[in-house]
Amino acid sequence: MARPRYVVENSIRAIRFASSEMTQQELADKVGVSRQTINAIEGGKYSPSLEVAFEIARAFNKPLDSVFRSVPVRS
Amino acid sequence: MHASFEEKSVWVQLVCLLVALGGYLVIAGRMMAAGVSELPAYAPLFVAAVVLLVVMLGVGHALALIGSRPEGRDERDRRIDWRAEHGSSWVLAAGVFASITAMVLGVPNVWVAHTLLVSMMLSEVLGLVLKIRFYRLGV
């Protein structure tokens, strides 16, 4: 039986807007990555390392699993 | 194009490499077809191509600085570098293997040297194309 595959999704865009409409650049500066990297993470084009994922959650003052979640890939 | 300085730098490197070393290979190819078999005869042309490459890289990066401030490399840039190198290094390995085989078979040095040069260039071009793909479509 094939193992189920998972992808990491996130709610960064929604949480940014709920956090006084924080810009991607502001979040990038807090996390220590480029704005393009935040944009790629939001768009699902890049899965960050655990360190950056924790930094993003910390920037929003939220637990990691309220920002990132693993969902099964639909076949 | 809302590209980072890092991504613009990759575009600059790709264009410069294709123009400078591609130009060298076109002219060198004609020289080889004309029967020029002494390797030193290609040296001035090669030096000119390298100087052109360095100048173009300098100008290109200066232009890339306009409109995008360098933010420093982060983990995404490093992962893209690693993935691109992983996907392109086989071309150089194949070129080295082909060059060694050619040397064993007694192929003239000028062909061996240019086989190596072509494989280095193709490996670099493939790596840069892969980087652009990863920057645009995700890694």
Side-chain angles (χ1 to χ4, degrees), chain A residues 25 28-29 32-37 40-41 45-52, chain B residues 2-5 7 69 71-72 74-77 79 134-139:
Chain A
Q25 187 64 61
D29 291 341
V33 296
S34 68
R35 188 195 65 76
Q36 285 78 14
T37 294
I41 295 170
K45 291 181 177 178
Y46 175 65
S47 293
S49 66
L50 268 177
E51 288 83 357
V52 168
Chain B
H2 298 290
S4 64
F5 176 77
E7 185 182 343
R69 66 186 173 102
E71 296 182 72
D74 63 18
E75 62 170 39
R76 177 167 160 262
D77 298 308
R79 190 183 299 178
F134 293 143
Y135 273 118
R136 293 281 101 191
L137 302 178
V139 60

Side-chain angles (χ1 to χ4, degrees), chain B residues 2 9 50 93:
Chain B
H2 298 290
S9 170
V50 170

Side-chain angles (χ1 to χ4, degrees), chain B residues 66-85:
Chain B
I66 300 171
S68 61
R69 66 186 173 102
E71 296 182 72
R73 298 170 57 72
D74 63 18
E75 62 170 39
R76 177 167 160 262
D77 298 308
R78 287 190 288 274
R79 190 183 299 178
I80 286 173
D81 277 358
W82 182 83
R83 288 278 309 273
E85 191 176 326

Side-chain angles (χ1 to χ4, degrees), chain A residues 58-70:
Chain A
R58 194 172 292 127
F60 291 131
N61 201 23
K62 288 183 176 295
L64 185 67
D65 60 358
S66 69
V67 183
F68 294 94
R69 64 198 162 278
S70 177

